[in-house]
């Protein structure tokens, strides 16, 4: 097989999402180039092999291959193109290794080298990659200066300039706070079946200012382990599995809430609703104390619904039919936390997210009805009729998701 045929095969494997096979094909091509004494081609192909290995999850091996390519490149005559290719591939490998700042610098170097070689198309690609890595490494506010500097080095009018300008504009729009912010990971899909399911967990993602459309956030691994132990008592995979199963089955919230909501089907007014609750309890010999509690719960729900209507969480004649959304939304985030903490793998986390999204779609008919159910469940857990900070933060999250043009709720149809 010729050198070019080996490269074509490797690129085909990459397009098909088969990084293991791509890495093997690139290794064969590199060996061929090395045997022929074509050292420049060998360096470039070894760099592509390293990227494929990183994409396959073999990051340590990718770093070793990259290091070998770096040493080989240092012995080559000067020239921008080999340096550009090496820097461009190194940026992907270093990003996979969690060295985002180093990756951003290498992508920036690739942009400059490609520009020097008059390869403006690849220079733009490298520049956009550098911009995304800068935002990921520094955060939106700290990225403003570097993004402006980067944009100044890109020819106006090109696609790369437009993309970096859009990233800069988005960073400039970000409010000066670290919570209640819509964050979208530009390197992850923002539409499709998985993205729609991830958007079911967007309330918490917005509240915590983390990307709503990605599961893996390795930089937060330690924080997520602390969160799971502090807030959920989870310290191992078994504990995580037990909690996420309860969330997916909508069994984490007080079952009395849903019982009370379900009784409203038998009467529209408050008196008929209370009578239906009492009758249901009497049929099951439930104590007077508990009956008093659940009737009071119906009154509290009516107060929240009235406030929801005033604040736009519900339509003028709207009602909340279920609080199961509160469990489904938390299940999405539980999958993210479990993956980052090392209590599950990516396949299991993704499966849990898809189940949460599917079950939410079965219960609710729109993003807004889901949101009102989620917020009511959260209020009855934490706010206790105070309409305090828990309510204000939840309302802010709802408005961001309902109104921001970049919100997944605006970009994807429910279900």
């Amino acid at each position: 097989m010729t050198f070019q045929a080996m490269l074509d095969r490797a690129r085909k494997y990459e397009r098909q999402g088969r990084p293991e096979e791509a890495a093997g094909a690139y290794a064969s091509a590199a060996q061929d180039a090395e045997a022929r004494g074509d050292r420049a081609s060998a360096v470039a192909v070894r760099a592509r092999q390293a990227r494929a290995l990183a994409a396959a999850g073999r990051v340590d091996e990718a770093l070793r291959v990259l290091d070998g390519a770096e040493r080989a490149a240092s012995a080559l005559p000067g020239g921008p193109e080999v340096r550009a290719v090496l820097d461009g591939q190194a940026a992907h490998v270093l990003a996979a290794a969690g060295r985002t700042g180093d990756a951003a610098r290498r992508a920036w170097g690739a942009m400059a080298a490609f520009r020097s070689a008059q390869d403006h198309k690849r220079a733009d690609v490298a520049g956009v990659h550098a911009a995304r890595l800068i935002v990921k490494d520094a955060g939106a506010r700290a990225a403003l200066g570097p993004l402006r500097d980067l944009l100044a080095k890109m020819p106006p009018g090109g696609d790369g300039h437009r993309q970096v300008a859009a990233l800069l504009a988005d960073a400039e729009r970000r409010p000066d706070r670290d919570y209640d912010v819509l964050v979208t990971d530009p390197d992850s899909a923002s539409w499709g079946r998985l993205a729609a399911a991830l958007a079911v967990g967007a309330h918490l993602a917005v509240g915590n200012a983390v990307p709503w459309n990605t599961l893996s956030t390795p930089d937060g691994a330690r924080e997520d382990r602390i969160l799971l132990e502090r807030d959920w008592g989870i310290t191992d995979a078994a504990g995580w599995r037990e909690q996420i199963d309860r969330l997916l089955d909508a069994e984490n919230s007080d079952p009395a809430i849903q019982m009370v909501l379900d009784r409203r089907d038998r009467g529209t007014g408050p008196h008929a609703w209370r009578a239906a609750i009492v009758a249901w309890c009497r049929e099951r010999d439930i104590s007077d104390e508990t009956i008093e509690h659940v009737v009071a719960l119906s009154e509290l729900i009516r107060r929240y619904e009235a406030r929801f209507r005033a604040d736009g969480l519900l339509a003028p004649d709207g009602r909340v039919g279920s609080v199961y959304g509160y469990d489904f939304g938390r299940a999405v985030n539980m999958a993210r936390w479990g993956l980052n903490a090392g209590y599950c793998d990516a396949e299991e986390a993704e499966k849990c997210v898809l189940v949460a999204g599917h079950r939410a779609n079965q219960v609710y008919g729109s993003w807004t009805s889901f949101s009102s159910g989620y917020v009511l469940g959260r209020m009855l857990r934490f706010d206790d009729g105070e309409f305090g900070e828990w309510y204000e933060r939840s309302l802010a999250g709802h408005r961001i998701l309902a109104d921001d043009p970049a919100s997944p709720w605006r970009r994807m149809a429910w279900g």
Side-chain angles (χ1 to χ4, degrees):
M1 184 180 294
T2 67
F3 174 73
Q4 188 60 50
M6 294 177 193
L7 284 183
D8 290 342
R9 174 176 287 186
R11 290 166 181 156
K12 178 180 177 182
Y13 286 144
E14 282 185 318
R15 290 194 300 270
Q16 293 174 340
R18 298 161 64 184
E20 289 278 2
E21 291 94 329
Y26 279 127
S28 297
Q31 289 165 2
D32 178 85
E34 289 159 355
R36 292 184 288 102
D38 186 353
R39 294 184 295 163
S41 294
V43 166
V45 177
R46 287 295 182 191
R48 294 296 298 263
Q49 178 193 358
R51 178 177 173 178
L53 287 167
R58 296 159 61 182
V59 177
D60 290 342
E61 187 177 350
L63 289 169
R64 288 194 295 272
V65 172
L66 178 63
D67 185 59
E70 301 269 20
R71 291 196 303 271
S74 66
L76 293 175
E81 188 166 356
V82 172
R83 185 77 255 168
V85 171
L86 187 56
D87 281 343
Q89 303 307 321
H92 290 278
V93 175
L94 293 170
R99 296 164 55 184
T100 315
D102 291 337
R105 285 185 283 275
R106 296 299 292 270
W108 192 313
M111 178 191 71
F114 279 128
R115 197 77 68 196
S116 177
Q118 301 300 306
D119 190 340
H120 298 298
K121 183 176 181 180
R122 286 202 284 182
D124 276 359
V125 171
V128 173
H129 191 208
R132 289 174 174 172
L133 289 167
I134 288 167
V135 173
K136 187 172 184 179
D137 180 59
R141 291 199 303 276
L144 290 174
L147 286 177
R148 291 183 183 121
D149 292 342
L150 179 66
L151 191 64
K153 298 183 183 302
M154 303 183 76
D159 185 59
H161 188 278
R162 285 193 294 271
Q163 290 188 57
V164 174
L167 287 169
L168 175 59
D170 183 64
E172 288 172 335
R173 284 195 299 269
R174 290 281 297 276
D176 189 22
R177 59 177 183 264
D178 295 318
Y179 58 88
D180 296 341
V181 177
L182 177 66
V183 182
T184 302
D185 182 355
D187 294 324
S188 299
S190 56
W191 61 87
R193 182 167 169 250
L194 179 60
L198 285 166
V200 168
H203 258 292
L204 269 177
V206 165
N208 295 327
V210 300
W212 66 267
N213 63 324
T214 186
L215 273 172
S216 179
T217 52
D219 292 343
R222 181 176 180 274
E223 288 79 4
D224 286 345
R225 284 193 292 270
I226 292 171
L227 179 152
L228 287 172
E229 182 173 5
R230 181 192 66 219
D231 297 344
W232 296 82
I234 296 173
T235 57
D236 56 24
W240 173 84
R241 184 74 250 182
E242 179 183 355
Q243 288 289 358
I244 199 164
D245 282 343
R246 291 191 66 206
L247 290 169
L248 291 172
D249 292 337
E251 293 178 349
N252 184 276
S253 298
D254 183 356
I257 301 171
Q258 194 59 45
M259 180 278 289
V260 168
L261 289 173
D262 289 343
R263 303 286 72 73
R264 185 156 47 180
D265 289 343
R266 302 184 184 181
T268 55
H271 297 294
W273 190 14
R274 286 196 297 269
I277 294 169
V278 172
W280 187 92
C281 292
R282 296 291 187 210
E283 290 171 3
R284 289 158 179 79
D285 295 324
I286 292 174
S287 69
D288 289 343
E289 182 181 1
T290 300
I291 293 174
E292 183 179 347
H293 167 74
V294 293
V295 168
L297 181 59
S298 72
E299 295 299 319
L300 182 58
I301 290 171
R302 290 182 64 246
R303 286 183 58 210
Y304 274 115
E305 288 178 330
R307 182 66 177 268
F308 284 9
R309 296 184 195 102
D311 289 335
L313 263 164
L314 279 174
D317 59 348
R319 299 187 309 185
V320 177
S322 172
V323 291
Y324 288 162
Y326 183 48
D327 280 2
F328 299 146
R330 288 183 296 163
V332 170
N333 291 276
M334 181 62 73
R336 178 181 291 117
W337 300 328
L339 175 60
N340 293 330
Y343 297 150
C344 68
D345 60 22
E347 183 178 358
E348 187 174 9
E350 183 174 318
K351 180 180 178 182
C352 290
V353 170
L354 291 171
V355 170
H358 175 68
R359 293 183 179 175
N361 292 158
Q362 289 181 311
V363 173
Y364 299 97
S366 66
W367 287 113
T368 52
S369 64
F370 161 76
S371 185
S372 63
Y374 177 94
V375 174
L376 180 60
R378 196 179 196 202
M379 293 307 96
L380 295 176
R381 172 69 68 90
F382 293 112
D383 187 65
D384 198 27
E386 294 181 3
F387 298 97
E389 183 179 0
W390 283 102
Y391 180 74
E392 294 300 328
R393 292 280 305 277
S394 297
L395 177 61
H398 168 84
R399 286 174 170 167
I400 288 169
L401 289 164
D403 298 337
D404 192 316
S407 166
W409 294 9
R410 295 285 299 274
R411 300 181 65 188
M412 289 185 286
W414 177 258

